[in-house]
Amino acid sequence: LPYNGTFAYLSTILDAFTKQVLSYVISGSLEVDFVLETVNQLVEKQGVSLHAETIIHSDQGCHYTSYSFIEILKNKKIRQS
């Protein structure tokens, strides 16, 4: 996203049914950490309402196929599409 003469990057997690934004993080960098923070924020905010049927669906970009992203989902017991 263009922002103040530079760019900002937005990572969001949406509920596919309600279209509600469940978690989002804005970053000035494309480092994978901001995507991981989006998942951590989701778990902190939604906590017990997440269950075994929860699936994170994403594109196949480098952030979402990275070892650290796959591991964080596995550790949080969230399935990946």
Side-chain angles (χ1 to χ4, degrees):
L1 306 168
Y3 177 74
N4 264 354
T6 185
F7 287 94
Y9 303 94
L10 176 64
S11 172
T12 60
I13 298 177
L14 304 174
D15 183 300
F17 182 73
T18 67
K19 307 299 186 224
Q20 176 184 5
V21 175
L22 301 176
S23 177
Y24 72 92
V25 172
I26 298 171
S27 175
S29 147
L30 274 174
E31 298 284 325
V32 73
D33 294 345
F34 87 107
V35 173
L36 304 179
E37 180 56 31
T38 312
V39 175
N40 284 327
Q41 191 181 96
L42 172 74
V43 173
E44 285 176 25
K45 287 182 177 180
Q46 303 300 318
V48 295
S49 67
L50 295 174
H51 45 75
E53 289 79 30
T54 300
I55 298 173
I56 296 285
H57 176 72
S58 66
D59 64 17
Q60 294 300 302
C62 62
H63 295 89
Y64 308 105
T65 57
S66 70
Y67 176 78
S68 46
F69 184 76
I70 293 167
E71 279 300 302
I72 197 169
L73 293 183
K74 186 185 204 180
N75 291 339
K76 306 287 186 190
K77 297 184 170 68
I78 299 173
R79 295 185 301 164
Q80 185 175 18
S81 65

PDB file of all heavy atoms in Angstrom, residues 12-23:
ATOM      1  N   THR A  12      -3.503  -9.707   6.684  1.00  0.00           N
ATOM      2  CA  THR A  12      -4.805  -9.842   7.332  1.00  0.00           C
ATOM      3  C   THR A  12      -5.229 -11.298   7.387  1.00  0.00           C
ATOM      4  O   THR A  12      -4.823 -12.116   6.566  1.00  0.00           O
ATOM      5  CB  THR A  12      -5.912  -9.072   6.581  1.00  0.00           C
ATOM      6  OG1 THR A  12      -6.010  -9.593   5.257  1.00  0.00           O
ATOM      7  CG2 THR A  12      -5.628  -7.601   6.535  1.00  0.00           C
ATOM      8  N   ILE A  13      -6.061 -11.584   8.371  1.00  0.00           N
ATOM      9  CA  ILE A  13      -6.744 -12.874   8.432  1.00  0.00           C
ATOM     10  C   ILE A  13      -8.228 -12.549   8.511  1.00  0.00           C
ATOM     11  O   ILE A  13      -8.671 -11.844   9.414  1.00  0.00           O
ATOM     12  CB  ILE A  13      -6.285 -13.724   9.636  1.00  0.00           C
ATOM     13  CG1 ILE A  13      -4.800 -14.044   9.515  1.00  0.00           C
ATOM     14  CG2 ILE A  13      -7.122 -15.005   9.722  1.00  0.00           C
ATOM     15  CD1 ILE A  13      -4.211 -14.817  10.675  1.00  0.00           C
ATOM     16  N   LEU A  14      -8.968 -13.055   7.522  1.00  0.00           N
ATOM     17  CA  LEU A  14     -10.401 -12.812   7.426  1.00  0.00           C
ATOM     18  C   LEU A  14     -11.169 -14.090   7.719  1.00  0.00           C
ATOM     19  O   LEU A  14     -10.714 -15.182   7.393  1.00  0.00           O
ATOM     20  CB  LEU A  14     -10.781 -12.368   6.004  1.00  0.00           C
ATOM     21  CG  LEU A  14     -10.080 -11.167   5.419  1.00  0.00           C
ATOM     22  CD1 LEU A  14     -10.498 -10.979   3.964  1.00  0.00           C
ATOM     23  CD2 LEU A  14     -10.406  -9.930   6.209  1.00  0.00           C
ATOM     24  N   ASP A  15     -12.352 -13.935   8.284  1.00  0.00           N
ATOM     25  CA  ASP A  15     -13.270 -15.051   8.424  1.00  0.00           C
ATOM     26  C   ASP A  15     -13.948 -15.218   7.068  1.00  0.00           C
ATOM     27  O   ASP A  15     -14.576 -14.284   6.566  1.00  0.00           O
ATOM     28  CB  ASP A  15     -14.301 -14.744   9.510  1.00  0.00           C
ATOM     29  CG  ASP A  15     -15.245 -15.896   9.750  1.00  0.00           C
ATOM     30  OD1 ASP A  15     -15.955 -16.300   8.792  1.00  0.00           O
ATOM     31  OD2 ASP A  15     -15.310 -16.391  10.883  1.00  0.00           O
ATOM     32  N   ALA A  16     -13.822 -16.367   6.458  1.00  0.00           N
ATOM     33  CA  ALA A  16     -14.353 -16.580   5.111  1.00  0.00           C
ATOM     34  C   ALA A  16     -15.880 -16.504   5.066  1.00  0.00           C
ATOM     35  O   ALA A  16     -16.450 -16.167   4.036  1.00  0.00           O
ATOM     36  CB  ALA A  16     -13.889 -17.930   4.570  1.00  0.00           C
ATOM     37  N   PHE A  17     -16.536 -16.794   6.162  1.00  0.00           N
ATOM     38  CA  PHE A  17     -18.003 -16.776   6.192  1.00  0.00           C
ATOM     39  C   PHE A  17     -18.544 -15.372   6.426  1.00  0.00           C
ATOM     40  O   PHE A  17     -19.393 -14.886   5.688  1.00  0.00           O
ATOM     41  CB  PHE A  17     -18.526 -17.740   7.259  1.00  0.00           C
ATOM     42  CG  PHE A  17     -20.017 -17.821   7.311  1.00  0.00           C
ATOM     43  CD1 PHE A  17     -20.728 -18.475   6.319  1.00  0.00           C
ATOM     44  CD2 PHE A  17     -20.710 -17.233   8.351  1.00  0.00           C
ATOM     45  CE1 PHE A  17     -22.111 -18.536   6.354  1.00  0.00           C
ATOM     46  CE2 PHE A  17     -22.089 -17.278   8.406  1.00  0.00           C
ATOM     47  CZ  PHE A  17     -22.798 -17.947   7.405  1.00  0.00           C
ATOM     48  N   THR A  18     -18.047 -14.697   7.451  1.00  0.00           N
ATOM     49  CA  THR A  18     -18.578 -13.374   7.826  1.00  0.00           C
ATOM     50  C   THR A  18     -17.846 -12.218   7.146  1.00  0.00           C
ATOM     51  O   THR A  18     -18.314 -11.089   7.190  1.00  0.00           O
ATOM     52  CB  THR A  18     -18.486 -13.154   9.345  1.00  0.00           C
ATOM     53  OG1 THR A  18     -17.102 -13.077   9.723  1.00  0.00           O
ATOM     54  CG2 THR A  18     -19.197 -14.242  10.115  1.00  0.00           C
ATOM     55  N   LYS A  19     -16.672 -12.494   6.582  1.00  0.00           N
ATOM     56  CA  LYS A  19     -15.797 -11.472   5.979  1.00  0.00           C
ATOM     57  C   LYS A  19     -15.229 -10.505   7.023  1.00  0.00           C
ATOM     58  O   LYS A  19     -14.675  -9.475   6.689  1.00  0.00           O
ATOM     59  CB  LYS A  19     -16.511 -10.680   4.881  1.00  0.00           C
ATOM     60  CG  LYS A  19     -17.141 -11.529   3.814  1.00  0.00           C
ATOM     61  CD  LYS A  19     -16.131 -12.364   3.080  1.00  0.00           C
ATOM     62  CE  LYS A  19     -16.796 -13.084   1.917  1.00  0.00           C
ATOM     63  NZ  LYS A  19     -16.421 -14.427   1.785  1.00  0.00           N
ATOM     64  N   GLN A  20     -15.354 -10.832   8.284  1.00  0.00           N
ATOM     65  CA  GLN A  20     -14.824 -10.010   9.375  1.00  0.00           C
ATOM     66  C   GLN A  20     -13.303 -10.136   9.428  1.00  0.00           C
ATOM     67  O   GLN A  20     -12.748 -11.228   9.280  1.00  0.00           O
ATOM     68  CB  GLN A  20     -15.427 -10.473  10.695  1.00  0.00           C
ATOM     69  CG  GLN A  20     -14.873  -9.768  11.905  1.00  0.00           C
ATOM     70  CD  GLN A  20     -15.427 -10.339  13.215  1.00  0.00           C
ATOM     71  OE1 GLN A  20     -16.154 -11.315  13.230  1.00  0.00           O
ATOM     72  NE2 GLN A  20     -15.051  -9.722  14.305  1.00  0.00           N
ATOM     73  N   VAL A  21     -12.611  -9.013   9.642  1.00  0.00           N
ATOM     74  CA  VAL A  21     -11.163  -9.038   9.840  1.00  0.00           C
ATOM     75  C   VAL A  21     -10.918  -9.531  11.260  1.00  0.00           C
ATOM     76  O   VAL A  21     -11.337  -8.909  12.223  1.00  0.00           O
ATOM     77  CB  VAL A  21     -10.535  -7.637   9.636  1.00  0.00           C
ATOM     78  CG1 VAL A  21      -9.051  -7.666   9.971  1.00  0.00           C
ATOM     79  CG2 VAL A  21     -10.758  -7.148   8.215  1.00  0.00           C
ATOM     80  N   LEU A  22     -10.251 -10.667  11.380  1.00  0.00           N
ATOM     81  CA  LEU A  22      -9.983 -11.253  12.689  1.00  0.00           C
ATOM     82  C   LEU A  22      -8.641 -10.797  13.249  1.00  0.00           C
ATOM     83  O   LEU A  22      -8.454 -10.757  14.462  1.00  0.00           O
ATOM     84  CB  LEU A  22     -10.008 -12.778  12.598  1.00  0.00           C
ATOM     85  CG  LEU A  22     -11.320 -13.401  12.113  1.00  0.00           C
ATOM     86  CD1 LEU A  22     -11.170 -14.909  11.990  1.00  0.00           C
ATOM     87  CD2 LEU A  22     -12.464 -13.033  13.032  1.00  0.00           C
ATOM     88  N   SER A  23      -7.721 -10.482  12.360  1.00  0.00           N
ATOM     89  CA  SER A  23      -6.384 -10.074  12.785  1.00  0.00           C
ATOM     90  C   SER A  23      -5.716  -9.326  11.635  1.00  0.00           C
ATOM     91  O   SER A  23      -5.916  -9.684  10.478  1.00  0.00           O
ATOM     92  CB  SER A  23      -5.577 -11.316  13.149  1.00  0.00           C
ATOM     93  OG  SER A  23      -4.264 -11.002  13.498  1.00  0.00           O
TER      94      SER A  23
END
